[in-house]
Amino acid sequence: MTFPAVPAARTARTARTARTARTARTACTARTARALEARRQKTEVSLARTKDVLDEMVESRAPITMAAVARTADVSRTFLYEHADARALVDKAMNQAAGRRVQDRQTV
């Protein structure tokens, strides 16, 4: 059984589609890389803001809660809970504040 020959227009279209797909894949990869880099930078800025806010709160002996930190640092509570580095910063500051409160009670 023989199959009919593929028309030249069809093979050209197939080649053009394959080229377009490769170009689109490359563009998507570059776009994805830029998006990931932007996301990484945004996370770093948010972490730096969170650290600064926590330092100020510890120094001023303000109550440290996730909601207060999120509100003051202009980040979401979800960010604080889901990013391990942010969560560790808040936990450390909360423990420092708790230790200071215990020391304050003992000296009074």
Side-chain angles (χ1 to χ4, degrees):
M1 177 180 209
T2 60
F3 293 100
V6 177
R10 185 170 177 195
T11 57
R13 189 173 350 125
T14 304
R16 203 170 36 251
T17 304
R19 267 195 316 274
T20 304
R22 277 194 305 272
T23 303
R25 224 176 298 126
T26 303
C28 288
T29 303
R31 219 179 358 231
T32 301
R34 287 193 307 270
L36 289 172
E37 178 61 23
R39 178 65 174 208
R40 186 188 61 73
Q41 288 176 354
K42 182 179 177 187
T43 299
E44 286 180 5
V45 168
S46 295
L47 281 171
R49 254 193 340 258
T50 301
K51 185 176 182 338
D52 293 342
V53 164
L54 286 168
D55 290 344
E56 290 173 14
M57 292 176 97
V58 167
E59 187 176 312
S60 67
R61 296 180 182 252
I64 298 173
T65 64
M66 287 291 194
V69 172
R71 188 173 40 253
T72 309
D74 194 29
V75 298
S76 68
R77 284 182 294 173
T78 302
F79 173 83
L80 295 177
Y81 282 112
E82 289 185 354
H83 285 80
D85 294 339
R87 181 87 185 245
L89 288 171
V90 175
D91 287 342
K92 180 180 174 187
M94 284 179 166
N95 290 334
Q96 277 182 331
R100 282 187 173 178
R101 281 193 301 271
V102 168
Q103 289 174 353
D104 288 346
R105 283 188 212 128
Q106 291 173 349
T107 59
V108 173

